[in-house]
């Protein structure tokens, strides 16, 4: 999801749902992405959530994730 950024307009953010009993840090997600995807696509911000906001048809509401990211990562908008 695009996290609002004053400097770049948007930066990459990831919202991850962990399986029960799984333990993970944001750095683990970033390390996993290195070498697998382009450097500019590696998420700078990682948040762990329990569920995604969904539409009635079951699609993820990305605009709501963007709103949540603005609250979770206020330092991105500075």
């Amino acid at each position: 999801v695009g996290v609002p950024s004053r400097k770049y307009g948007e930066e990459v953010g990831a919202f991850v749902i962990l399986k029960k009993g799984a333990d993970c840090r944001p750095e683990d997600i970033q390390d996993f992405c290195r070498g697998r995807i382009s450097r500019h696509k590696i998420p700078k911000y990682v948040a762990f959530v329990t569920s995604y906001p969904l539409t009635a048809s079951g699609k993820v509401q990305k605009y709501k994730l963007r709103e949540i990211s603005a609250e979770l990562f206020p330092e991105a908008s500075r």
Side-chain angles (χ1 to χ4, degrees):
V1 173
V3 176
S5 168
R6 182 173 299 234
K7 185 174 182 179
Y8 298 111
E10 282 187 339
E11 292 187 83
V12 181
F15 287 84
V16 180
I17 297 177
L18 294 176
K19 292 184 178 183
K20 288 184 180 182
D23 186 34
C24 191
R25 300 173 304 152
E27 296 82 23
D28 296 334
I29 302 296
Q30 294 165 336
D31 291 341
F32 177 81
C33 292
R34 283 189 185 88
R36 290 181 168 84
I37 58 176
S38 299
R39 192 182 70 173
H40 67 279
K41 294 180 182 178
I42 295 173
K44 181 172 182 178
Y45 302 100
V46 178
F48 297 105
V49 295
T50 56
S51 64
Y52 297 125
L54 302 175
T55 64
S57 62
K59 295 181 181 179
V60 176
Q61 293 179 325
K62 294 179 199 165
Y63 75 94
K64 286 199 177 181
L65 288 178
R66 285 187 195 99
E67 291 171 1
I68 294 168
S69 69
E71 295 171 16
L72 289 176
F73 310 114
E75 67 275 5
S77 299
R78 290 185 194 158

